Amino acid sequence: SQVFDCNVKIVPVEATPYNPVFIGIQQNSYTTNFSSGSVIPIDTANLNRGSCFNTSTYRFTAPWTGMYLFSSSTYLYCVNGNYTNYVHTMFWVNGGSNTRRPGGTLYRMRQYGFYGSYQHDGDICEPIYLTAGDYVDVRYYFNVTLQIYGNYGFFSGAFLGS
């Protein structure tokens, strides 16, 4: 049998008005087709404590080394698909899909058998340990013609502790 050590400790930082937290939304309606691996355009920051989220590059840059929690959801439309199609929702760190991940790339089997003419969601939530200066964005890796609708998506993150 395998024993898991659950004694990993994260030292919480007292909540202050300076802790980096952001909530970015898709303000504009993007109904264009996207290429697999493209950064999802989260173009408006409803909350951007610490000014760490960039609405031009759609990425969050960590001001401090420590553990962060990220989440995202996007409204997707599959133009043409069948049982062999897939969509993986992923957070990329520093432009790579497996950076800062001890086990390599974390594929999310959010959608498999992605049928055409149906709407779907692309939800993800993941804690990631970052070094100050690392950046994070949200992307989809897929093999189908995909449209992403604006006004329904978000990307958020918060510093949990060092």
Side-chain angles (χ1 to χ4, degrees):
S1 81
Q2 190 173 10
V3 176
F4 294 97
D5 182 4
C6 295
N7 293 319
V8 175
K9 291 191 171 60
I10 301 228
V11 178
V13 174
E14 182 179 333
T16 71
Y18 308 106
N19 286 357
V21 175
F22 78 96
I23 301 172
I25 63 168
Q26 289 174 293
Q27 184 66 37
N28 294 315
S29 183
Y30 296 96
T31 55
T32 58
N33 297 335
F34 280 85
S35 300
S36 183
S38 296
V39 177
I40 305 304
I42 305 296
D43 56 16
T44 302
N46 276 358
L47 173 66
N48 196 5
R49 187 183 306 152
S51 300
C52 301
F53 182 70
N54 186 315
T55 56
S56 297
T57 61
Y58 319 122
R59 61 172 67 152
F60 170 84
T61 302
W64 304 329
T65 297
M67 186 64 71
Y68 292 80
L69 181 63
F70 296 98
S71 61
S72 179
S73 181
T74 307
Y75 180 40
L76 310 171
Y77 178 75
C78 178
V79 177
N80 58 351
N82 60 43
Y83 67 92
T84 64
N85 295 122
Y86 57 83
V87 174
H88 300 287
T89 306
M90 304 169 70
F91 291 119
W92 283 31
V93 179
N94 299 334
S97 61
N98 61 358
T99 306
R100 304 268 181 249
R101 311 271 192 345
T105 301
L106 296 175
Y107 290 113
R108 300 292 191 266
M109 290 304 295
R110 183 65 186 152
Q111 305 290 344
Y112 190 82
F114 205 60
Y115 287 94
S117 300
Y118 286 98
Q119 293 78 22
H120 307 273
D121 63 357
D123 295 334
I124 184 173
C125 184
E126 181 181 347
I128 303 174
Y129 186 84
L130 299 174
T131 300
D134 284 349
Y135 66 88
V136 178
D137 54 41
V138 62
R139 304 177 188 218
Y140 291 102
Y141 173 67
F142 54 87
N143 71 344
V144 66
T145 302
L146 188 66
Q147 294 180 345
I148 299 172
Y149 289 91
N151 303 320
Y152 298 101
F154 76 90
F155 173 31
S156 65
F159 179 71
L160 298 179
S162 55

